[in-house]
Amino acid sequence: MSEFFSIPRFKLPRLVAAVGAKLPQWPHSLALATALNAAARAGLLPADSVAMLEGRTFVVDVLDAGAHASFTYRGGVFRPLWQLPQDPDLSFSARLSAFLQLLARQEDPDTLFFNRELTIVGDTELGLLIKNMLDAVELPRLPQRPTLPIFRH
Amino acid sequence: MPHRAVPQLICPAGSLPALKAAVDHGADAVYIGYRDDTNARNFAGLNFDQKAMVAGIRYAQSRQRKVLMAINTFAQPGRAAAWQRAVDGAADLGVDAVILADIGLLDYASRRHPTLRLHLSVQGSATSYEAVNFAHREFGVQRAVLPRVLTLAQVETVIRNTPVEIEVFGFGSLCVMNEGRCWLSSYATGESPNTVGACSPAKYVKWEKSPGAMSTRLNGILIDRFGDDEAAGYPTLCKGRFEVGGETYYALEEPASLNVLEVLPEIAAIGVAAIKVEGRQRSPTYVAQVTRSLRAALDALASDAQHFQVKAAWQAELARVSEGSQVTLGAYNRPWR
Ligand code: SF4
């Protein structure tokens, strides 16, 4: 990420988690599965690695939002799970800020793990595969400077 | 102002984005590996397939940076051809050097590819100038990476007595046991860095969450338990807490990352040719962060060695990405010989 934009380390107020937990969880799952499918279609996810996710179940738990998303990969498509699996193959939990920092490549997953800001429970090798798969994605280069809108006088 | 020669900066790349991050942030060379057990970071989804390798080598070399290929595990019985093919492949790809540990493979590479530059891997465990000179005499090795067990004075003795360039570790997780000879991972799992290309392979690792704590198990063996406010390290046996003489503590090694910033002027003064950053298993973000800090430090040293001072910002950035969130000078400043 550029120096012009950085995600601060923050924690959502407890209230958000309390309310969040009461909301239906499937929209998150649907959104995440849709995003992953879009990434796969765009050829961003290496095919050989993605194939190894077949039939596995995942839970992403956003602690301070009281939200979780769960999905599986079956028949070449990421599919949301409507019900939280009892015993997922892998679950990630972290606060929202940590997830955002990870996605923006602002923080290294191992660093977050060492600092206890990211927890991975389940099949560790599968977790490593996913981490490495995401690291290998070539993100489009962002412009170095935010482009400001030009106003006509 | 006199411009002082400083060591080259050698950075890890486990993926194409990591390689680009290293090059973009000032690495003089990157080291990479194949997606198999011919290198000591054989982790699921990590490393380069042929396509990524070609792209990576082009990216680095077109910017006048070097690419080193790590083929640093030991050829396994009956499968020596796989390691030889890896060397042939690296030579075909036009890498600037290969980093080897296996004596048989060094012999093969020196005969088969006489113009290919050879580096002796840290896994080759050469700690004395006799060992380094042997590799030079027999195989024409041009650089040796010293294990992280020597003091600075010992590193200097090696440099004074060999024509071979000397590379030392500058930053990253520590593998402390005379690299290449550690049996801890094999003891717990039957697999080790030199055989399958990974210490404490992930398939044996389990993290268990319980209220207020997280436990790490390696093949069922409890190696550590962290309270919620304690920093964690990699799940290797050497960084576990064990009960010894009625006390439970890090009996072998603390989880911490090596960081040589403080002794950088001495490292340059004794003639170290290159410093290496550990961490091919880490993300492009880490590579960018570490490369950027060390590049800034080396440039500061090069432009004005007299007034070199470690900046708090470099230290802070390096400490943050460190294992267990702490740094150490490792063996470099140990009083023992
Ligand atoms: S257990 Fe520790 S010292 Fe031994 S090989 Fe693994 S990282 Fe290195």
Side-chain angles (χ1 to χ4, degrees):
Chain A
M1 276 273 125
S2 74
E3 284 85 62
F4 298 97
F5 175 69
S6 92
I7 298 160
R9 189 163 171 256
F10 61 81
K11 186 174 177 186
L12 294 177
R14 250 173 220 285
L15 183 66
V16 178
V19 175
K22 299 220 166 59
L23 298 173
Q25 300 293 324
W26 59 266
H28 312 302
S29 304
L30 184 62
L32 188 57
T34 309
L36 286 168
N37 284 324
R41 261 199 312 278
L44 288 176
L45 307 179
D48 54 338
S49 296
V50 179
M52 290 166 76
L53 307 182
E54 184 67 31
R56 317 298 294 269
T57 52
F58 307 89
V59 172
V60 176
D61 199 353
V62 186
L63 298 170
D64 53 348
H68 35 249
S70 52
F71 61 95
T72 184
Y73 182 75
R74 219 174 332 106
V77 184
F78 290 96
R79 300 162 196 270
L81 292 171
W82 312 115
Q83 220 146 51
L84 198 63
Q86 276 301 306
D87 200 10
D89 288 303
L90 192 68
S91 57
F92 296 95
S93 35
R95 295 207 299 251
L96 181 62
S97 71
F99 277 126
L100 291 178
Q101 288 174 330
L102 262 187
L103 290 176
R105 291 234 169 114
Q106 193 180 305
E107 229 25 292
D108 167 79
D110 293 23
T111 299
L112 293 172
F113 174 79
F114 295 149
N115 299 340
R116 309 294 307 283
E117 290 181 58
L118 173 68
T119 309
I120 301 166
V121 174
D123 183 336
T124 313
E125 189 167 42
L126 186 62
L128 200 61
L129 174 78
I130 293 184
K131 182 192 93 159
N132 290 330
M133 184 175 93
L134 295 177
D135 279 348
V137 170
E138 287 232 59
L139 296 180
R141 296 225 164 184
L142 295 165
Q144 284 298 304
R145 225 165 272 277
T147 36
L148 298 171
I150 300 164
F151 296 104
R152 274 167 207 268
H153 292 284
Chain B
M1 232 179 294
H3 207 82
R4 171 205 235 120
V6 294
Q8 288 176 14
L9 180 58
I10 318 294
C11 295
S15 66
L16 190 52
L19 180 147
K20 292 183 177 176
V23 169
D24 294 350
H25 290 87
D28 295 300
V30 292
Y31 63 104
I32 63 178
Y34 287 102
R35 283 197 154 188
D36 59 25
D37 56 356
T38 61
N39 78 91
R41 289 288 184 282
N42 179 28
F43 298 167
L46 195 72
N47 292 322
F48 290 69
D49 57 19
Q50 190 73 14
K51 196 175 128 214
M53 232 167 223
V54 170
I57 292 171
R58 190 180 312 128
Y59 190 86
Q61 290 181 342
S62 66
R63 289 164 177 78
Q64 285 70 52
R65 315 303 169 81
K66 298 206 179 332
V67 178
L68 319 177
M69 180 85 83
I71 308 174
N72 56 350
T73 49
F74 288 74
Q76 294 301 295
R79 295 182 45 225
W83 274 259
Q84 294 172 346
R85 269 200 307 276
V87 170
D88 297 342
D92 288 346
L93 280 163
V95 298
D96 296 282
V98 287
I99 309 172
L100 308 180
D102 186 313
I103 296 261
L105 201 60
L106 280 160
D107 182 56
Y108 172 83
S110 65
R111 286 167 199 270
R112 189 59 179 264
H113 306 283
T115 58
L116 183 61
R117 188 179 152 98
L118 304 183
H119 290 189
L120 183 64
S121 164
V122 64
Q123 298 296 112
S125 212
T127 44
S128 66
Y129 60 81
E130 285 95 343
V132 173
N133 289 339
F134 169 82
H136 177 64
R137 187 175 68 237
E138 298 299 322
F139 316 117
V141 161
Q142 295 187 50
R143 182 183 295 175
V145 187
L146 296 186
R148 289 157 276 197
V149 294
L150 301 181
T151 63
L152 271 187
Q154 289 170 321
V155 172
E156 187 177 10
T157 305
V158 175
I159 293 173
R160 287 232 186 103
N161 292 285
T162 182
V164 176
E165 292 174 8
I166 295 300
E167 180 172 319
V168 301
F169 277 86
F171 186 82
S173 278
L174 281 164
C175 169
V176 286
M177 313 285 156
N178 264 359
E179 6 276 281
R181 295 181 193 151
C182 174
W183 286 88
L184 290 172
S185 180
S186 294
Y187 170 75
T189 68
E191 299 185 1
S192 81
N194 286 335
T195 57
V196 304
C199 174
S200 314
K203 62 174 182 262
Y204 299 106
V205 176
K206 266 267 176 307
W207 285 302
E208 296 165 353
K209 201 80 186 117
S210 54
M214 183 180 73
S215 305
T216 316
R217 284 183 190 276
L218 183 62
N219 209 12
I221 304 170
L222 178 67
I223 58 176
D224 210 346
R225 181 174 289 143
F226 307 96
D228 275 350
D229 49 359
E230 278 183 294
Y234 281 124
T236 58
L237 264 189
C238 63
K239 313 247 174 79
R241 270 183 281 199
F242 302 100
E243 207 184 294
V244 183
E247 252 188 278
T248 306
Y249 65 109
Y250 292 107
L252 298 165
E253 186 71 32
E254 301 255 339
S257 289
L258 176 73
N259 175 6
V260 299
L261 274 192
E262 260 177 55
V263 292
L264 209 53
E266 287 89 328
I267 285 183
I270 63 176
V272 167
I275 58 173
K276 175 170 220 147
V277 175
E278 182 274 350
R280 276 190 292 138
Q281 74 281 9
R282 299 198 59 173
S283 70
T285 311
Y286 162 91
V287 174
Q289 291 164 328
V290 176
T291 306
R292 176 167 66 206
S293 299
L294 290 177
R295 180 77 270 158
L298 286 166
D299 287 351
L301 185 65
S303 68
D304 188 0
Q306 292 293 308
H307 300 100
F308 177 79
Q309 261 185 341
V310 177
K311 286 219 176 100
W314 307 333
Q315 287 293 45
E317 182 149 54
L318 293 179
R320 216 160 43 91
V321 302
S322 293
E323 196 177 352
S325 309
Q326 44 177 346
V327 295
T328 167
L329 274 171
Y332 290 130
N333 69 342
R334 290 235 167 102
W336 44 254
R337 296 280 177 276

